[in-house]
Each structure stands twice: as structure tokens, then as C-alpha cells.
Amino acid sequence: MQTYNIAIVGATGAVGAKILDKLIERKFPFRSVKLLASSRSAGTVIQAGGRLFTIEEAKPESFTGVDYAFFSAGGSISEELAPEAVRRGAVVIDNTSAFRMDAEVPLVVPEVNPEALNGHKGLIANPNCSTIQMVVALKPIKEVFGIKKIIVSTYQAVSGAGADAILELKSQSGQFDSRSTNQASQLPSASAERHYPIAFNAIPQIDVFDDMGYTKEEWKMMNETKKIFNDKSIAVSATCVRLPVVTGHSESVYVEIDKDGISAEQFSRAISSSPGIVIQDDPATQTYPMPLFAENRDEVFVGRIRKDPDHPRGFHLWIVADNLLKGAALNSVQIAEELIKNHEEH
Amino acid sequence: MQTYNIAIVGATGAVGAKILDKLIERKFPFRSVKLLASSRSAGTVIQAGGRLFTIEEAKPESFTGVDYAFFSAGGSISEELAPEAVRRGAVVIDNTSAFRMDAEVPLVVPEVNPEALNGHKGLIANPNCSTIQMVVALKPIKEVFGIKKIIVSTYQAVSGAGADAILELKSQSGQFDSRSTNQASQLPSASAERHYPIAFNAIPQIDVFDDMGYTKEEWKMMNETKKIFNDKSIAVSATCVRLPVVTGHSESVYVEIDKDGISAEQFSRAISSSPGIVIQDDPATQTYPMPLFAENRDEVFVGRIRKDPDHPRGFHLWIVADNLLKGAALNSVQIAEELIKNHEEH
């Protein structure tokens, strides 16, 4: 069996660490794994799968001999080093938003659009976490019934804003009585001008605003969904909200399909036929997805499937997934698995 | 000036206490206030506005001589005692869902449909908290542009589930590391078969499910909105979700209006012209409503107003209000104020 040399850029971050975990857990056929980060972290030793890995500083030369390089260290690092990695022959799987909307760069969810990998030019983008779980759930709906319109409101976890945001949620959560005056420095993002407590709150801002009043996170969901589905005619609009949840993004989704006379049961059956999805949808036993129980799970959980009472082609559903796994690390590793499968088949 | 005898049924509950506060704060012209509750609470002394009030047991005879009786002690108490109060000449303002969809009973938000009070038969219903804040914000939109469709996803606070739910959120919030195994007995509701932790979670169930897969809370929003707007042609669909927020419901709302060529600015201006609303909508300064800062505020806060990128008549907005005040106690007192205003004008 062929084996591969791997690099992980941003190995000290939450997603980088989970990429390493998933490579080991899924027995990805790697010959070596090079963990890369900033010079500040160089020398740090990390333990994973019973082995020790030493962090090295990420430099252009780091990628010599690397077959697959996972990038998860922020957009500017990807912009700087991903082309260097590609130039040295590595295939880059980039978890940042740097190249996602580049027409030359495939934006891939392996269950949804693996064909987009064909003819890639060495750089493949991993979509935004909120986008991934939605398109996994809606792909079979698009296939079977067609989709005209998507309206999504998100309920997003703080782990998407980094490890310090998790610590801030933990600390504020213990200060119930002072909740409206708790100190805040991490949300909506560490780099924002103003910060708000996230414990006992809901913050309707993720990333920065544009002139139209949408946030970048909302545009990511709207634009990436169209690109992944390769269909600009689908109307997509998003409202993205941060919650006091540690890990696990939830989404309340309205979908208008392109076919009459479809029941909620048919809609649900179409979704359940798809890989990577677990239907949790039994109102009689109060069974529905919840973010607290999606943490550390690979699957996309779907429930609350029901027909719109006032629109014959409208449906509602509730989609939950671990934003660090299917939303990031797992999807990246699955892209690499798809690439080596294609490679071996050729 | 005429003065009135008041009764509050459910005076020991969160909403009952706030009704008393609002009556005092707003200088409602009461001659007497009788606080009623179950026999268990009879004799309890409550302090409000520098005065002491003693709880009495609620019985049919309690309402003799009462002009306005506020009910907020659960649907079954209202079903039993509200007709007794009306029979004794009191006008009942009922905060439960017992009579809301009764064709004979006006369902009133004073800023929205005060005319519905005309010709009432002694019983007036206060709408569901989530409905009230939405119709206050959308009423001017309906007036000026017309509304074809509403899709709402809610982000609801635990105080809507009672004082014990607040205590449970507080206790679980201190137990961060055991979050997925924290004990739960209050949510989605105390009477539910299964309970889930609310801290660090989002529970997509408020009230019980029907055969179509909707919860009662969702049907309340859908049916009550049509009744208050007196327009069955508006398409309304709701997804209701409970969050780890103490007080303050938030709503992500999509609206399709009935007019072309309207800008987000025109949409926003129409809303701001209405009473009881504060626009908090300046992305440049990260200004938008948040539930943590709506607690104990009377107004309905509206922000994140923007045009749908793919639908020329579609708009999105984010609506936040204190679910115990405008969503319940304040609206009930405003109904009584409207009634005495009409009474004096006649």
C-alpha cells in the first residue's frame, strides 16, 4: 500500500490537533506527519495516538517531500505558505476562507461534490463549518427534489472562535449574578472593536459586517452553498448567531423544493439515504439533535423535519454537527482520503 | 379620577410579581390589589413598591367587586376561574393560552390591534411572549408594505419555563466539565417525559409536539400572529428553540413584503416609527439587540435589518425583548390601560 508524507500547519490549534487525531483514528496511510506552527510553538511536544510529535516552525522549505498539507492556521498563513507548499509538490487542503471562492480552487465536501476534485491544481478548500453540515443534509434533497430556496438561522458554538473563547464562556458561566457586566475579550471575535459576554447571551454577529449588513460568516454560507452545489440559481440567505454552547453548531433551516406533493416522510427518507447523516427525529420520544450531544461525533444529525403549513413545497429541519470535526478536521481528512482513493484508482 | 379594584391570580409566579411591579411603576389607578394564588401560598406576604401584600387563596368568590383580574397561573386555573371572575363582573386579562384562539376572545397587543378590544365579553387574552415581540416589530411593516410570508426561528430564554428552570440553568452553568451529564428536571418542561441539560445546549422543543411535528409554542406563534393581524392569508412558520439565556427572547425573522423596490432603510424607517420599539442597528459600531441587555427593559429591540440578496421583497431582522415584560406582564398591564382609556372616553 502506498503511504504518504503529511504536514499539518496550525498543529497547536483546536482543528489542527483534531486533524492529527482523525488521521490516526481513521488509519490514514501516512508514512510521516510533520506538525508545523509559528516559531513561538517550535519545539513543543504533542502526544497523539500513543506517539510523540515535535512542533516545527512552518517555512516554505517545510513542504519539501510532503504529499498532503493540511492548513488550519488562519487565512494570512494560508495565503503566504499554501502556494509555497503547492510549488514544492504538496497537495494543500486548506481549512481557512482564503481560497474558498477562488474559481480555480475546488470547495469540497466529499459526500456532496467529490467530482469537484477532478483536475484540481494542488489546492483544495475545506468549506466553512456551518456550510458543511447544511450541504451534507441538503444534498440528497437537491438530488431528489431540487432546491429553490434556503433560509437558515444558525446557533453556533464558541469553539469556532478558538480556545480562548471556550475559556471565556467557562469563566463567565460561573458568574451568573453579574452576567450582564461580566468581562469579555473574545466574542464576537478577539479582534473586534467591542466585546460582549457570551454566557447567558446570544450574539448575532460572527465575523465582520459588509455594507449590506451581512456578516462574512453569513456570506460564507450563502456563497459557499451555491459553489458546492454548483448552482447559482438557489436562493440562500443566512443569519448567523453565536451562543453559549461549547462545541456543536445547530441550524434552523427552511427549504423550498422544486417538486409538488412531497410529504415530510419522503423528505426525511431522502435525507436518511445519504452517507454521514443520522436522523434523530421522533417527537413522541422527544428525540431531536442537540449540540451538547453532538460534541466529538463525526456525523451530521438531522431532526425536526416537517412540512411548512402554508407552503406546499416548504420544509423545515434542524441540523446539528460538531463544528470542529465534520465542520473542519474530519472533512479535511475525508478530502485527503478521497484524493488518495482517486489516486489509487487512476 | 376613577380608580379600580385589581386581582392578580398567580401572584407568586415570575409574571404575576412583575404585573404588580408594572401596575405600581406605571401608576395604574388602582384602589386595591388582591394577590391570589393556590391555598399553599395563602398567607405569604409580598413586598412591592414599599407596600406589603398578603397572598389569598384564589376562589370563585375572590372576584366579587374586582374590576380587572390578571390571570397568570397556568391554563387550567384560567379555565376554571376566569369564567367565575367574568360572571362576577370582572374583566379578565389572561396570560395563559387557555382562551387565545377562542373566536369570542380578543387577543391583544395594544400597539398592534387595540381595536380588537371593542365589544369584548369580559375576557381578553394576552398573546404568547414570542408572538408579542414579533407582531410589535412587524405591525408597521404590515401597515406600510403588506406581509405575504414570515419565517421565524426563535432563541428563547429559560425564564419562560419558570423560576425552577432559571435555578437549573444557574446550577448547571457552574458545572462546565460535566456539561453533557448534568442532571436535568426542568427542560424542555418540568412535565416532559425526558429532560435535557440546558446549560451549553440548545433544545429545539418548547411545549409538546403535535402529529405534524410542530410544537405548541410554534403553533402559538403561527396561529396567534394571524389572529392578531386579522389576516389568515399571511404565511407564518416557526421553529422554537430554548437556549441557556436567563431572560430575553431573540428571534431571527424573514419577511416577504407585498411591495417592490423597498430598501432596507425604508424597511427600518417604517419599523422605527412605531411605538414601543428601539432600533439598535449599526453594524459599524457592532450595535444590535442582545438578550442579555434586554432583561428588565420594556421595549422591543430590533436590529440586523437587511435585504435578502436573492429575493427583491425579502427582508431579515433580529428582534429581542424581555419575555416576562413586553412578552407577558407589561403587555397585560397595557391591555388594562387601554381598557380604562376606552372606558373613560366612552
Side-chain angles (χ1 to χ4, degrees), chain B residues 11-314:
Chain B
T12 50
V15 173
K18 285 184 187 281
I19 288 173
L20 178 57
D21 290 343
K22 285 291 159 190
L23 288 170
I24 295 169
E25 177 194 315
R26 296 169 70 89
K27 304 193 195 323
F28 189 91
F30 57 81
R31 185 158 67 250
S32 69
V33 177
K34 194 181 274 193
L35 298 191
L36 303 171
S38 66
S39 58
R40 191 164 34 90
S41 301
T44 307
V45 175
I46 280 183
Q47 202 192 317
R51 276 174 272 189
L52 296 177
F53 298 83
T54 304
I55 305 276
E56 300 171 41
E57 183 184 352
K59 300 178 196 169
E61 312 83 65
S62 310
F63 301 97
T64 305
V66 166
D67 298 303
Y68 295 106
F70 297 92
F71 275 71
S72 185
S76 58
I77 303 289
S78 289
E79 279 167 21
E80 182 193 335
L81 289 179
E84 298 287 352
V86 173
R87 195 168 302 138
R88 285 165 177 81
V91 173
V92 169
I93 299 164
D94 183 29
N95 193 48
T96 78
S97 64
F99 302 102
R100 284 184 194 146
M101 294 311 296
D102 188 324
E104 300 272 285
V105 175
L107 183 66
V108 178
V109 182
E111 297 92 331
V112 179
N113 64 337
E115 71 283 354
L117 289 170
N118 299 334
H120 72 79
K121 300 192 165 69
L123 185 53
I124 293 135
N126 190 77
N128 174 266
C129 46
S130 304
T131 310
I132 292 175
Q133 66 185 70
M134 186 169 80
V135 296
V136 166
L138 294 186
K139 156 78 170 182
I141 297 303
K142 182 173 190 305
E143 288 278 285
V144 181
F145 308 122
I147 292 178
K148 301 292 282 181
K149 187 183 185 79
I150 298 167
I151 297 172
V152 53
S153 296
T154 71
Y155 300 68
Q156 295 185 227
V158 298
S159 58
D164 288 343
I166 298 177
L167 293 176
E168 185 155 291
L169 170 60
K170 179 177 178 173
S171 146
Q172 290 170 350
S173 294
Q175 298 167 283
F176 181 89
D177 293 329
S178 61
R179 58 190 177 275
S180 66
T181 53
N182 280 339
Q183 282 213 307
S185 66
Q186 295 301 316
L187 291 163
S189 68
S191 61
E193 285 275 318
R194 298 174 70 182
H195 297 101
Y196 306 111
I198 185 63
F200 313 107
N201 200 11
I203 302 179
Q205 181 189 358
I206 299 181
D207 214 327
V208 296
F209 286 101
D210 79 340
D211 289 343
M212 226 182 129
Y214 284 87
T215 60
K216 257 196 186 171
E217 182 83 356
E218 289 160 354
W219 279 117
K220 286 175 192 172
M221 290 197 78
M222 299 188 282
N223 292 331
E224 293 178 17
T225 299
K226 293 179 189 195
K227 179 169 176 176
I228 295 165
F229 280 157
N230 192 25
D231 186 348
K232 287 193 173 140
S233 75
I234 299 179
V236 189
S237 59
T239 301
C240 291
V241 181
R242 188 77 72 187
L243 297 193
V245 167
V246 180
T247 291
H249 287 355
S250 309
E251 298 174 344
S252 169
V253 182
Y254 169 77
V255 189
E256 259 170 47
I257 63 172
D258 201 13
K259 200 168 176 187
D260 285 322
I262 302 305
S263 68
E265 291 68 30
Q266 289 170 295
F267 189 92
S268 176
R269 214 154 42 232
I271 295 178
S272 68
S273 70
S274 226
I277 292 175
V278 174
I279 301 276
Q280 294 182 326
D281 195 13
D282 181 21
T285 58
Q286 296 176 241
T287 301
Y288 34 69
M290 286 178 277
L292 190 55
F293 307 112
E295 206 174 331
N296 293 319
R297 297 288 298 269
D298 282 350
E299 303 93 333
V300 172
F301 300 92
V302 181
R304 298 294 330 269
I305 296 169
R306 60 209 194 279
K307 214 167 165 164
D308 192 280
D310 291 326
H311 195 298
R313 294 177 168 197

Side-chain angles (χ1 to χ4, degrees), chain A residues 232-298:
Chain A
K232 286 192 173 140
S233 75
I234 300 180
V236 189
S237 59
T239 301
C240 292
V241 181
R242 188 77 71 187
L243 297 192
V245 166
V246 181
T247 290
H249 287 356
S250 307
E251 298 173 344
S252 169
V253 181
Y254 169 78
V255 189
E256 260 171 47
I257 62 171
D258 201 13
K259 200 167 177 188
D260 285 322
I262 302 305
S263 69
E265 291 68 31
Q266 289 170 292
F267 189 93
S268 175
R269 213 156 41 232
I271 295 178
S272 69
S273 69
S274 227
I277 292 174
V278 173
I279 300 275
Q280 294 182 325
D281 195 10
D282 183 22
T285 57
Q286 296 176 241
T287 301
Y288 34 70
M290 285 178 277
L292 191 55
F293 306 114
E295 207 176 329
N296 293 319
R297 297 286 299 269
D298 283 348

Side-chain angles (χ1 to χ4, degrees), chain A residues 90-281:
Chain A
V91 173
V92 168
I93 299 164
D94 182 27
N95 193 47
T96 78
S97 64
F99 302 101
R100 282 182 196 148
M101 294 311 296
D102 188 324
E104 300 272 284
V105 175
L107 184 65
V108 178
V109 181
E111 297 91 331
V112 178
N113 63 338
E115 70 285 355
L117 289 170
N118 299 334
H120 71 81
K121 299 193 166 69
L123 185 54
I124 293 135
N126 190 77
N128 174 265
C129 45
S130 303
T131 310
I132 292 175
Q133 66 185 71
M134 185 170 81
V135 297
V136 166
L138 294 186
K139 157 76 171 184
I141 297 303
K142 183 172 189 306
E143 288 277 285
V144 181
F145 308 122
I147 293 179
K148 301 291 283 180
K149 189 185 183 77
I150 298 168
I151 296 171
V152 53
S153 296
T154 71
Y155 300 68
Q156 295 185 227
V158 297
S159 59
D164 287 344
I166 299 177
L167 292 176
E168 186 154 290
L169 170 60
K170 179 176 178 173
S171 148
Q172 290 171 351
S173 294
Q175 299 168 284
F176 180 90
D177 293 329
S178 61
R179 57 189 176 275
S180 66
T181 54
N182 279 338
Q183 282 214 307
S185 66
Q186 295 301 316
L187 291 163
S189 67
S191 61
E193 284 276 318
R194 298 175 69 182
H195 297 102
Y196 306 111
I198 185 63
F200 313 109
N201 200 12
I203 302 179
Q205 180 190 357
I206 299 182
D207 214 326
V208 297
F209 286 102
D210 79 341
D211 290 344
M212 224 182 132
Y214 284 87
T215 60
K216 257 196 187 170
E217 182 85 356
E218 290 160 355
W219 280 116
K220 286 175 193 172
M221 290 196 78
M222 300 189 282
N223 291 331
E224 293 179 16
T225 298
K226 293 179 189 193
K227 178 168 176 175
I228 295 165
F229 280 157
N230 192 25
D231 186 348
K232 286 192 173 140
S233 75
I234 300 180
V236 189
S237 59
T239 301
C240 292
V241 181
R242 188 77 71 187
L243 297 192
V245 166
V246 181
T247 290
H249 287 356
S250 307
E251 298 173 344
S252 169
V253 181
Y254 169 78
V255 189
E256 260 171 47
I257 62 171
D258 201 13
K259 200 167 177 188
D260 285 322
I262 302 305
S263 69
E265 291 68 31
Q266 289 170 292
F267 189 93
S268 175
R269 213 156 41 232
I271 295 178
S272 69
S273 69
S274 227
I277 292 174
V278 173
I279 300 275
Q280 294 182 325
D281 195 10

